[in-house]
């Protein structure tokens, strides 16, 4: 593990290859939806205030997904922040569907990914999502097939950059053979805790 001096040398910003620069600390918008990441929040005004305050404090990277709510997180972001300030990067993800509160199912079929990306564009009031991530891997098909849909959306200008989430090292290698992957969003848990 790096010592404190080594961590202090980390840049405070990250730049996507050929893209925007964002602060290292962003805002994950999963929990602005209701209980179980389902439906609207108990207090919509409070959720909107939190989003606005985050941006006031310098957050310029907000991460969401179509499955948060579903659709609630993206709608709240647009309601709170549209028209978006210059330099604010809003990212989204597709690949999970929501049968009910606290319940998550995987669907990374190309036609599903296209559908949810286009819905995200509409909810977020964007013509292009600068960074769009495959939210998970659907083991009923190859990751290459799922990412192929995102590559097509990128060619159409609806996605700027492609990322992946919840992948193994092997899946990441396969993803990189299909698309230029600029972000990996995985959960990490310290050992022994």
């Amino acid at each position: 593990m790096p010592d404190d001096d080594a961590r202090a040398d980390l840049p405070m910003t990250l730049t996507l290859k050929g893209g925007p620069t964002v602060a290292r600390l962003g805002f994950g918008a999963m929990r602005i939806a209701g209980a179980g990441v389902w439906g609207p929040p108990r207090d919509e005004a409070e959720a909107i205030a939190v989003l606005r305050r985050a941006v006031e404090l310098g957050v310029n990277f907000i991460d969401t997904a179509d499955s948060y709510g579903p659709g609630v997180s993206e709608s709240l972001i647009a309601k709170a922040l549209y028209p978006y300030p210059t330099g604010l990067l809003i990212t989204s993800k597709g690949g999970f569907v929501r049968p009910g509160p606290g319940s998550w199912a995987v669907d990374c079929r190309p036609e599903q990914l296209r559908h949810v990306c286009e819905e995200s564009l509409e909810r977020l009031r964007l013509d292009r999502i600068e960074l769009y991530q495959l939210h998970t891997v659907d083991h009923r098909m190859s990751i290459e097939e799922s990412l192929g849909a995102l590559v097509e959306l990128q060619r159409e200008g609806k996605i700027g950059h492609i990322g992946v989430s919840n992948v193994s090292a092997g899946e990441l290698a396969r993803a990189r053979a299909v698309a230029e992957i600029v972000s990996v969003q995985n959960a990490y848990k310290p050992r022994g805790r």
Side-chain angles (χ1 to χ4, degrees):
M1 181 169 223
D3 61 29
D4 288 338
D5 290 334
R7 282 183 287 217
D9 291 340
L10 289 173
M12 295 306 295
T13 59
L14 300 168
T15 301
L16 297 180
K17 186 173 182 181
T21 298
V22 294
R24 186 171 284 280
L25 182 62
F27 182 85
M30 182 169 99
R31 296 291 176 186
I32 62 171
V37 195
W38 185 265
R42 188 171 22 114
D43 186 341
E44 182 178 288
E46 182 179 38
I48 288 171
V50 166
L51 287 161
R52 289 179 177 158
R53 185 66 176 141
V55 172
E56 286 172 11
L57 292 172
V59 169
N60 67 348
F61 177 83
I62 297 177
D63 178 71
T64 189
D66 73 287
S67 58
Y68 299 165
V72 171
S73 176
E74 292 173 332
S75 296
L76 285 171
I77 289 166
K79 190 171 188 176
L81 301 172
Y82 186 86
Y84 301 113
T86 302
L88 178 63
L89 176 66
I90 299 171
T91 70
S92 197
K93 298 180 286 294
F96 275 118
V97 292
R98 303 296 307 284
S103 181
W104 302 78
V106 177
D107 189 349
C108 297
R109 293 173 297 135
E111 61 272 18
Q112 173 69 6
L113 291 170
R114 173 174 286 281
H115 174 73
V116 296
C117 179
E118 289 174 352
E119 285 184 336
S120 293
L121 286 162
E122 188 174 320
R123 278 189 295 270
L124 290 166
R125 302 183 202 172
L126 292 171
D127 295 324
R128 169 182 161 121
I129 297 172
E130 196 59 39
L131 171 60
Y132 193 84
Q133 298 183 92
L134 181 66
H135 205 162
T136 192
V137 177
D138 189 334
H139 295 287
R140 298 171 300 173
M141 68 196 60
S142 71
I143 192 170
E144 292 87 351
E145 188 176 353
S146 298
L147 281 170
L150 301 189
V151 170
E152 285 179 21
L153 288 162
Q154 187 180 45
R155 284 187 194 127
E156 295 168 14
K158 294 178 180 180
I159 293 173
H161 296 84
I162 297 173
V164 292
S165 182
N166 299 304
V167 295
S168 68
E171 290 162 341
L172 175 59
R174 290 172 52 205
R176 292 179 74 194
V178 175
E180 183 171 11
I181 304 299
V182 301
S183 68
V184 177
Q185 187 179 60
N186 281 353
Y188 292 96
K189 179 175 100 175
R191 289 183 183 208
R193 293 189 181 169

